[in-house]
Amino acid sequence: MRALWVGLVLAGCGTAEKAAPLSRSERLDPASCAGCHPDHYREWSGSMHAYAAEDPVFRAMNAYGQRQTNGELGDFCVQCHAPVALAEGATTDGTNLDSVSPALLGVTCTTCHQIDAVTGDHNNATRWLPDAFFRGPLDRPLDTPAHGHTRSALLDRDQPESASMCGACHDVITPAGVHLERTFLEWQHSQYSVAEVGLQQTCGSCHMPGRDGKAASVPDAPRRRIHSHAMPGVDVALTDFPEADTQLERVQDALDSTVWLQLEVFDYGLGTGVTVALDNIAAGHDFPSGAAHDRRAWVEVVARDDAGAVLWSSGLVDDGQSLRDAMAADPDLWWLGDRARTNTGDDAHMFWEVATVEQAALVAPSRFDADDPLYEEPHVARTFDMGPVWPSTVEAVVRIRPIGRDVLDILVASGDLDPSVRDALPTFTLGGSAVTWTAAADTGEPE
């Protein structure tokens, strides 16, 4: 586990009197940043960027994939999960990360703040320049001998260029040529990428909220607009890790406002029907996004009688049950997200098996007109036939797991993943999507 080594670095970068130029090895080590930037370091220390190469699921999937492909995966995984270790020659394929210095693991301070250029839109297509200068958004940074400063739009969340830097890692094309992760492309297709007043939002606009404070904790530092480095999404640490409870809360808070759900219950004469409509109202990309083929998001609908007994349900998934197993017994279950297929049309359980992807996520509001071939309908609905039941209440809500239990089961069975990691996987309930219809208050309008 990465330690918070703040006390070890104060001599190098704690006050203006004590500051000294950082050596190259110190610039590569996030702990060297903690003395002057303790809040940024603390937030980052609990982020999935810090966890990227520690994550047992990543390590298990990489190890399993290297064996399954006879090593053909090469640096495919570590190019984004441990880019500094790869660039420094400390690893070539991620199978030796236990022996790599913790300072080089994950997406570190230098990973982002020493990117000099973006050269493409996927698979970490960036130019990394670990010189004596750190890039950042400030026009007039406080002078310090610890390191130089170069202003870069790539590190300024208010500039659209910053999204391209995030997108370089958050879009992934597999060795087979499948555009498997499309978060950046999804944002580019959304209204949030449009340069109009009050509309454009970058990755940092949502994932790095601002606050007033000091960029550096030194006596002469002015108060500025600074930004969180916790960067919550949907993934969380599944092992002991700094800031774990705080990160869990941040993820929950972000998810709660993501999806808007409407519920309409109607009597069709021979029974009851229910229509659930969903809109992705707060994510600047699809929901779910990223490794959407591994995410497990679904809609839960439950009808009850006056006594609270369940009359009909879909999407009631036991905590330890995989969504795939639940679907086998629940043909009505509404799975939100991508379905990955092999070249024979079967379900693909691991990314190196994927030949095609069937997209079924909730898209963000489109930047394209409805008659444009690139337009995607953001409002989706599904009607369920509950049959001859007459409920007193109907409840609906969206739930999500960062990764499918069925995926973890494969990694446990292969011997690459400890079963305790599977048990630690959370199921999030999107609080803002929870809607309850009651017969007593039915007005004939959707809830």
Side-chain angles (χ1 to χ4, degrees), residues 365-396:
S366 178
R367 67 176 295 177
F368 303 105
D369 293 331
D371 58 354
D372 192 303
L374 291 176
Y375 174 82
E376 294 179 90
E377 175 58 55
H379 179 82
V380 295
R382 178 173 293 188
T383 296
F384 301 88
D385 184 354
M386 295 190 289
V389 299
W390 315 103
S392 294
T393 63
V394 178
E395 304 157 346

Side-chain angles (χ1 to χ4, degrees), residues 153-396:
L154 296 175
L155 277 299
D156 185 349
R157 73 167 200 159
D158 295 326
Q159 301 300 318
E161 294 93 330
S162 66
S164 71
M165 190 184 77
C166 300
C169 260
H170 287 278
D171 263 33
V172 174
I173 294 180
T174 70
V178 178
H179 200 164
L180 194 60
E181 298 187 24
R182 304 175 305 278
T183 303
F184 182 47
L185 181 63
E186 293 160 6
W187 172 81
Q188 289 176 304
H189 283 191
S190 78
Q191 291 183 2
Y192 304 110
S193 67
V194 179
E196 294 179 3
V197 175
L199 185 62
Q200 189 174 69
Q201 300 283 311
T202 66
C203 310
S205 301
C206 292
H207 295 278
M208 301 183 72
R211 66 180 186 275
D212 292 331
K214 293 186 174 185
S217 61
V218 294
D220 298 331
R223 291 183 66 80
R224 307 176 183 269
R225 194 64 176 169
I226 61 175
H227 303 97
S228 170
H229 281 59
M231 297 166 283
V234 66
D235 292 295
V236 294
L238 301 178
T239 51
D240 187 26
F241 204 68
E243 300 283 298
D245 290 341
T246 301
Q247 188 72 344
L248 197 67
E249 291 171 3
R250 287 179 171 131
V251 169
Q252 182 67 70
D253 183 63
L255 289 173
D256 278 344
S257 61
T258 299
V259 174
W260 182 40
L261 186 151
Q262 289 180 289
L263 186 63
E264 181 181 7
V265 181
F266 56 93
D267 179 349
Y268 63 84
L270 299 177
T272 303
V274 55
T275 298
V276 178
L278 302 174
D279 290 88
N280 172 0
I281 60 169
H285 43 69
D286 291 4
F287 173 86
S289 189
H293 58 291
D294 284 336
R295 311 284 190 216
R296 296 295 181 263
W298 70 96
V299 179
E300 178 184 294
V301 187
V302 182
R304 302 179 187 274
D305 64 16
D306 286 335
V310 175
L311 298 174
W312 180 94
S313 70
S314 178
L316 276 180
V317 182
D318 293 338
D319 190 51
Q321 186 180 28
S322 78
L323 194 64
R324 287 186 187 275
D325 287 345
M327 289 183 70
D330 181 0
D332 289 324
L333 194 149
W334 189 0
W335 176 349
L336 307 170
D338 292 351
R339 298 295 295 271
R341 304 290 187 186
T342 68
N343 55 15
T344 61
D346 297 322
D347 282 339
H349 300 283
M350 293 293 160
F351 68 85
W352 55 88
E353 303 170 343
V354 180
T356 60
V357 176
E358 298 171 8
Q359 299 176 30
L362 304 177
V363 301
S366 178
R367 67 176 295 177
F368 303 105
D369 293 331
D371 58 354
D372 192 303
L374 291 176
Y375 174 82
E376 294 179 90
E377 175 58 55
H379 179 82
V380 295
R382 178 173 293 188
T383 296
F384 301 88
D385 184 354
M386 295 190 289
V389 299
W390 315 103
S392 294
T393 63
V394 178
E395 304 157 346

Side-chain angles (χ1 to χ4, degrees), residues 8-14 18-37 109-110 114 130-134 144-148:
L8 298 180
V9 296
L10 290 177
C13 187
K18 292 181 179 179
L22 297 174
S23 66
R24 188 179 190 282
S25 62
E26 287 172 331
R27 293 196 300 271
L28 297 181
D29 188 348
S32 300
C33 304
C36 279
H37 309 286
C109 308
T110 181
Q114 296 198 287
D131 55 16
F133 292 85
F134 277 68
T144 172
H147 59 78

